Amino acid sequence: MKTDSRPIGVFDSGMGGLTAVKELINILPGEDIIYLGDTARVPYGTRSRETILRYAVQDFEFLKRKGVKFIIAACGTASSVMIGEEMFPKEECTGVILPAVEAACKATKNKKIGVIATGASIRSGSYERCISGIMPEAEVYSKACPMFVPLVENGYCGRDCEPAVAIAKEYLEPLRDEGIDTLILGCTHYPLLSGIIGDILGSGVKLISSGAEAGKFAKKLLAEKGLLNGRQSGGSIRLYCTDSPELFCENAERFIELDGILAEKCSLD
Amino acid sequence: MKTDSRPIGVFDSGMGGLTAVKELINILPGEDIIYLGDTARVPYGTRSRETILRYAVQDFEFLKRKGVKFIIAACGTASSVMIGEEMFPKEECTGVILPAVEAACKATKNKKIGVIATGASIRSGSYERCISGIMPEAEVYSKACPMFVPLVENGYCGRDCEPAVAIAKEYLEPLRDEGIDTLILGCTHYPLLSGIIGDILGSGVKLISSGAEAGKFAKKLLAEKGLLNGRQSGGSIRLYCTDSPELFCENAERFIELDGILAEKCSLD
C-alpha cells in the first residue's frame, strides 16, 4: 500500500481551527500535523475579500514551505474566499465549506438548511452556491453572527451566560422560525456555543461542525489518494502562530488539550 | 507668528481614533488632518506587546512619509506600548494616555480614578504608572473590557441594549463599588458606550474620553511650538485604511460624519 509520511497542514485565522485538529487527531491518530494560527491578524471575518485572500495565500504558502502533503483551511472565512481560486489546487487542499455542506445535505430531511458564519463568509455567498450545487431544491437560510467569535474568545460560552444567550436568540430565532432541521456552524469557533445554540433551536435541529467535517473529509481524500502515512498512533503536532506563543497556548486550551505542547512564532508578512 | 502648513497625522488600529479626529476638527477647524486606520489588522488590544509595537512603528512611519508635522496615536493600545520607546520622539507625537491621565487628575476630587481599556493596555500598566507619576497618592482601579470593542463595532451601544448593559455591569460595578469619581475611557471606542457607562456609574462619576483629550493636548502643544497653520477654518481631511475603503466608510459613519469623504487604501506590510 502506498503511504506518504509528510505531515498534514491546517491553518486558521487564530485558534478556532483547533476544533478541526481535534477531530483529525481522533480519526487519524498516526498522522503528523502542522498547525498555523494567524493570531497577529485574527479575525478574518470582519475583513474584505481581497485582504482575506491575501492572508490565505500567505498561510497556504507558509505550510507548503513546511513540506506538508495536504492543507486544510480550517477557517470558514478563508475557505469562503478560496473557492474557485486557482492558487489553491483542489488536489492540495480543502476548505471547510464543501465538507460541511455535504454533511448538511446528507442530514437534512425537510431540505431547509441554516448557515451561520462570519460577516465575510455570509457576504461571499459560498455556502448558498455550494448547497445549490449539491441539492438545488434546498432552501438555505443564512445569518451572519459577528458577535459569536468575540463571545467565544472572551469565555462567554456557558448555557447560562445571559448576554451570550440574548445575542444568540437574536441571531437564531429567525432561523428557527423558518423551520430549518439542519444548521451549519460555518465558523470553527461556533462549536463552543453549541450548548446555547441547541437550547434555542431544540433537539430537532442537527448541528454540523465545519471543522470536524473538514477533518473527516480530509481523511477520506487522503485515503483515496494513498497519502496516509499508515501509522495507527503516535502522530505529532507542531503549532505555529504569528503573535505571542504564550498568548496562543493560553487561549488554545479552550479548544484543545495541549499537554505541554508549545507553539512557535513565525512571520508571514 | 510662526506657522506650519503641514497636516497633523492621526492613527488608530481601526475606526475608533475618529473620535479624536472629531475633537480635532472642533477645536482646530483650520488644520489639515491625515488619518490612518489599520483596518486590515484591527484590533490591536488582543495582541502581544511586541506585535503592537511593530504595527505602531509601521503606522508612525507611514504618516511620517506623508509629511505630517505631528502625530497623534489615537489608539489606547498602541499608546500604551509606545511610552518610553525612543523611536517615538516626544516632540513628534503624543499618545492618548498622558492627555487622559492629566485630565483625570484634574477632575478627581477623592483621588480614586478608574481606568477601563483593552486587555493589552491594562496589562501594560501604563495608565497606573502615568497616574502615579502625576498624582502619587491617587488610588487607581483598572479593568480590561475586551467585549466593549466588538459590542461597539456591531452596534450594541444603546442604553436599552440588554447584552451590552449586562456585560458593562459585570465590568463596571466593581469600579463603582470602589467609589471612583473619575473614569478614564482608555480606548477610543468607549465613548460610544458612554450612555450605558453613565447609567451604571451614576452622574457623580466624570467620564474622560482619551481621544478627545488627546485632541486638546495636541492643540496646546502645537500652539506652544508655533506649529499651527494659523487658519481658522477650511481644514481638509484625508483618510487612509489598510483594508477595503468601502468597509471603512460604512463603519466610520458611527464615529464621525464623513459628508462624502472617501478613504484610500494603503499597505503597511
Side-chain angles (χ1 to χ4, degrees):
Chain A
M1 205 179 98
K2 206 180 134 198
T3 60
D4 188 323
S5 63
R6 289 175 297 165
I8 300 170
V10 180
F11 77 84
D12 181 47
S13 58
M15 245 79 63
L18 292 170
T19 55
V21 171
K22 205 171 165 183
E23 184 68 16
L24 270 185
I25 295 172
N26 276 336
I27 60 177
L28 290 171
E31 292 290 330
D32 300 322
I33 298 168
I34 297 184
Y35 181 85
L36 167 65
D38 189 9
T39 47
R41 303 188 297 197
V42 70
Y44 287 3
T46 54
R47 314 208 191 282
S48 68
R49 177 186 169 82
E50 190 189 347
T51 295
I52 298 162
L53 204 52
R54 181 160 66 93
Y55 291 173
V57 168
Q58 292 173 333
D59 298 333
F60 188 83
E61 285 176 353
F62 174 85
L63 289 172
K64 292 284 283 182
R65 285 196 301 274
K66 292 285 167 195
V68 301
K69 59 188 169 191
F70 191 76
I71 292 173
I72 302 176
C75 171
T77 304
S79 303
S80 74
V81 304
M82 287 164 66
I83 291 178
E85 298 286 343
E86 53 189 36
M87 57 274 226
F88 306 107
K90 271 187 196 167
E91 317 72 56
E92 295 180 17
C93 63
T94 182
V96 297
I97 294 180
L98 179 61
V101 164
E102 284 190 349
C105 290
K106 229 170 170 174
T108 185
K109 300 226 156 52
N110 71 4
K111 300 185 179 175
K112 292 185 175 192
I113 300 173
V115 179
I116 57 173
T118 64
S121 292
I122 295 298
R123 268 200 310 277
S124 76
S126 298
Y127 282 98
E128 282 90 337
R129 277 195 299 278
C130 190
I131 294 172
S132 76
I134 293 176
M135 188 181 266
E137 69 278 24
E139 290 170 47
V140 185
Y141 302 93
S142 305
K143 181 79 186 164
C145 301
M147 285 300 292
F148 276 1
V149 168
L151 284 170
V152 168
E153 294 202 329
N154 289 290
Y156 291 84
C157 303
R159 293 165 74 171
D160 55 353
C161 172
E162 279 177 39
V165 170
I167 291 169
K169 277 187 179 167
E170 196 187 310
Y171 290 148
L172 300 174
E173 283 177 348
L175 297 180
R176 185 193 62 196
D177 297 345
E178 294 290 353
I180 59 165
D181 73 350
T182 305
L183 178 69
I184 295 176
L185 309 181
C187 168
T188 45
H189 278 73
Y190 296 179
L192 281 85
L193 289 166
S194 53
I196 292 177
I197 296 170
D199 288 343
I200 295 168
L201 295 179
S203 58
V205 177
K206 168 102 177 147
L207 305 184
I208 306 287
S209 159
S210 52
E213 296 304 330
K216 293 181 209 162
F217 186 91
K219 178 182 180 178
K220 199 168 150 244
L221 214 80
L222 292 169
E224 282 169 12
K225 291 174 184 286
L227 286 175
L228 293 171
N229 69 8
R231 297 202 315 256
Q232 300 312 315
S233 65
S236 68
I237 173 160
R238 238 174 127 167
L239 304 173
Y240 291 91
C241 57
T242 52
D243 199 347
S244 144
E246 292 74 26
L247 273 182
F248 180 88
C249 290
E250 219 179 289
N251 293 319
E253 304 259 329
R254 264 197 214 118
F255 296 89
I256 196 169
E257 275 177 56
L258 288 178
D259 280 337
I261 300 168
L262 295 178
E264 290 169 59
K265 184 162 174 178
C266 65
S267 181
L268 301 177
D269 51 40
Chain B
M1 204 177 97
K2 206 180 133 198
T3 59
D4 188 323
S5 63
R6 288 175 296 166
I8 300 170
V10 179
F11 76 84
D12 181 47
S13 58
M15 245 79 61
L18 293 171
T19 55
V21 171
K22 204 171 163 181
E23 184 68 16
L24 271 184
I25 294 173
N26 277 334
I27 61 177
L28 290 171
E31 292 289 332
D32 299 321
I33 298 168
I34 296 184
Y35 181 85
L36 167 65
D38 190 7
T39 47
R41 304 188 297 197
V42 70
Y44 287 2
T46 54
R47 314 209 190 281
S48 68
R49 177 187 168 82
E50 190 189 347
T51 295
I52 298 162
L53 204 52
R54 181 160 68 90
Y55 290 173
V57 168
Q58 292 173 333
D59 297 332
F60 188 83
E61 285 176 352
F62 174 84
L63 288 173
K64 292 284 282 181
R65 284 196 301 276
K66 292 285 166 194
V68 301
K69 58 188 170 192
F70 191 76
I71 292 172
I72 301 176
C75 170
T77 304
S79 303
S80 74
V81 304
M82 287 165 65
I83 290 178
E85 298 286 343
E86 53 188 37
M87 57 274 227
F88 305 106
K90 272 188 196 167
E91 316 73 54
E92 295 180 18
C93 64
T94 183
V96 296
I97 295 181
L98 180 61
V101 164
E102 284 189 350
C105 290
K106 230 171 170 173
T108 185
K109 299 224 156 52
N110 70 4
K111 300 185 179 174
K112 293 186 174 189
I113 300 172
V115 180
I116 57 173
T118 64
S121 292
I122 296 298
R123 268 201 310 277
S124 76
S126 300
Y127 282 98
E128 282 91 337
R129 276 195 300 280
C130 189
I131 294 173
S132 76
I134 293 176
M135 187 181 266
E137 69 279 25
E139 291 171 46
V140 185
Y141 301 93
S142 304
K143 182 77 186 166
C145 302
M147 285 300 292
F148 276 1
V149 168
L151 284 170
V152 168
E153 294 203 329
N154 289 291
Y156 291 84
C157 302
R159 293 164 77 170
D160 55 353
C161 172
E162 279 176 38
V165 171
I167 290 170
K169 278 187 178 166
E170 196 187 309
Y171 290 149
L172 300 174
E173 282 177 349
L175 298 179
R176 186 193 61 197
D177 296 346
E178 294 290 354
I180 60 165
D181 73 350
T182 306
L183 178 70
I184 294 176
L185 309 182
C187 168
T188 44
H189 279 73
Y190 297 180
L192 280 86
L193 289 166
S194 53
I196 292 176
I197 296 170
D199 287 344
I200 295 169
L201 296 179
S203 58
V205 177
K206 168 103 176 145
L207 306 183
I208 307 287
S209 159
S210 53
E213 296 304 330
K216 293 181 209 162
F217 186 92
K219 177 183 179 178
K220 199 169 150 244
L221 213 81
L222 292 169
E224 282 168 12
K225 291 175 184 283
L227 286 176
L228 292 171
N229 68 9
R231 297 202 314 256
Q232 301 310 316
S233 66
S236 68
I237 174 161
R238 236 174 128 166
L239 304 173
Y240 290 92
C241 56
T242 52
D243 200 346
S244 144
E246 291 74 26
L247 273 182
F248 180 89
C249 291
E250 218 180 289
N251 293 317
E253 304 259 329
R254 266 196 212 116
F255 296 90
I256 196 170
E257 274 177 56
L258 288 179
D259 279 337
I261 299 168
L262 295 178
E264 289 169 59
K265 184 162 176 179
C266 66
S267 181
L268 301 177
D269 51 40

